[in-house]
């Protein structure tokens, strides 16, 4: 999946809609029951990369005006495709959250942990991500098994991996998200313990977001759900 797929402030392009037509990237909350079949492609963005140290992350210039300095520090040619990816992520980090929820671009593990603990508190923190038994990047049909359950309580923090020169996550406190842990079995027998995020308030999303185009619903009308890619992380509490 492209990095913009879950960028709710963006409008889905015709190209993205065409590329997503044979997969169930978005679906409805009532479909989270045993026997439901969904066509899914589980993906990862930065699985093999390592966080940069906290001391280094604090010194990295992360604004559009400092882009030349950042590219030089990363030895990235300003006219390259890599430079365009870096610029897009910087712009995403600088744009306020579409829901108005607290948000942080975390480039180090310490930044991610500190933000999550600040929003959730220190009591009984749970952390989960999608776990795929067999690596298969092709789209295939998965069937939901018995055992789907709510993850965490009323407060969650979702950290979405972004394309960048090193691991970068946009983390946001998700007060209007219901998270689920959902067991799946693929057509090839592969087992997946998938994380699902169901957004209960989409009123402020871009009206032309890919989710609305695919589901043929309007902003704020119904909860919109999606699986989390393998390298996205959900934090929550037990209450």
């Amino acid at each position: 999946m492209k990095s913009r797929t879950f960028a709710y402030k963006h409008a889905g392009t015709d190209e993205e809609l065409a590329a997503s037509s044979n997969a169930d990237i978005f679906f409805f909350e009532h479909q989270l029951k045993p026997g439901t079949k969904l066509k899914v492609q589980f993906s990862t963005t930065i699985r093999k990369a390592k966080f940069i140290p906290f001391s280094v992350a604090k010194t990295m210039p992360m604004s559009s005006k400092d882009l030349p300095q950042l590219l030089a520090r990363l030895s990235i040619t300003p006219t390259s495709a890599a430079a365009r990816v870096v610029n897009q992520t910087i712009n995403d980090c600088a744009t306020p959250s579409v829901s108005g929820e607290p948000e942080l671009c975390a480039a180090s593990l310490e930044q991610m942990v500190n933000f999550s603990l600040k929003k959730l508190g220190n009591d009984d923190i749970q952390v989960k991500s999608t776990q795929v038994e067999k690596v298969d990047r092709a789209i295939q049909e998965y069937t939901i098994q018995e055992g789907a359950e709510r993850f965490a309580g009323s407060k969650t923090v979702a950290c979405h991996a972004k394309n960048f020169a090193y691991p970068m996550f946009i983390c946001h406190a998700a007060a209007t998200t219901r998270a689920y842990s959902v067991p799946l079995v693929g057509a090839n027998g592969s087992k997946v313990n998938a994380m699902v995020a169901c957004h209960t308030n989409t009123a402020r999303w871009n009206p032309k977001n890919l989710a609305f185009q695919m589901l043929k619903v309007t902003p704020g009308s119904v909860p919109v759900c999606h699986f989390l890619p393998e390298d996205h992380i959900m934090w929550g509490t037990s209450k």
Side-chain angles (χ1 to χ4, degrees), residues 3-65:
S3 62
R4 275 172 46 111
T5 301
F6 305 123
Y8 314 116
K9 64 194 78 170
H10 293 300
T13 65
D14 291 340
E15 292 77 12
E16 288 171 328
L17 184 61
S20 305
S21 60
N22 62 339
D24 297 305
I25 295 178
F26 298 97
F27 50 92
F28 299 111
E29 194 170 15
H30 67 75
Q31 293 178 272
L32 290 174
K33 58 185 179 181
T36 296
K37 297 181 184 298
L38 297 168
K39 292 182 179 179
V40 187
Q41 180 183 23
F42 288 102
S43 63
T44 183
T45 302
I46 55 174
R47 171 178 285 270
K48 295 182 179 180
K50 295 181 179 180
F51 276 114
I52 60 175
F54 180 53
S55 58
V56 175
K58 293 190 300 181
T59 68
M60 300 302 283
M62 286 297 294
S63 65
S64 295
K65 66 180 180 63

Side-chain angles (χ1 to χ4, degrees), residues 51-54 57 106-115 167 233 235:
F51 276 114
I52 60 175
F54 180 53
S108 72
L109 182 59
E110 290 89 344
Q111 289 174 325
M112 181 189 293
V113 171
N114 290 342
F115 177 82
I233 302 170
W235 300 69

Side-chain angles (χ1 to χ4, degrees), residues 118-175:
K118 181 178 180 180
K119 300 306 175 185
L120 298 174
N122 295 312
D123 297 330
D124 197 15
I125 299 296
Q126 303 176 58
V127 183
K128 273 197 173 184
S129 60
T130 293
Q131 301 293 318
V132 179
E133 177 186 72
K134 186 189 304 181
V135 177
D136 187 345
R137 300 301 175 212
I139 295 175
Q140 65 171 302
E141 187 175 76
Y142 287 87
T143 303
I144 296 180
Q145 306 296 297
E146 296 281 354
E149 59 183 7
R150 277 286 301 271
F151 167 73
S154 59
K155 295 192 298 182
T156 59
V157 170
C159 292
H160 302 290
K162 300 292 294 182
N163 288 326
F164 205 64
Y166 46 81
M168 178 72 70
F169 289 80
I170 291 185
C171 296
H172 62 97

Side-chain angles (χ1 to χ4, degrees), residues 181-230:
S181 176
V182 181
L184 305 168
V185 174
N188 68 350
S190 175
K191 295 180 180 180
V192 178
N193 187 10
M195 292 303 297
V196 171
C198 290
H199 302 273
T200 61
N201 185 358
T202 62
R204 296 176 65 181
W205 290 17
N206 190 308
K208 294 187 177 181
N209 185 268
L210 190 61
F212 303 134
Q213 295 189 56
M214 295 185 71
L215 297 178
K216 302 188 185 313
V217 296
T218 55
S221 58
V222 295
V224 171
C225 302
H226 61 81
F227 291 107
L228 292 185
E230 293 171 74

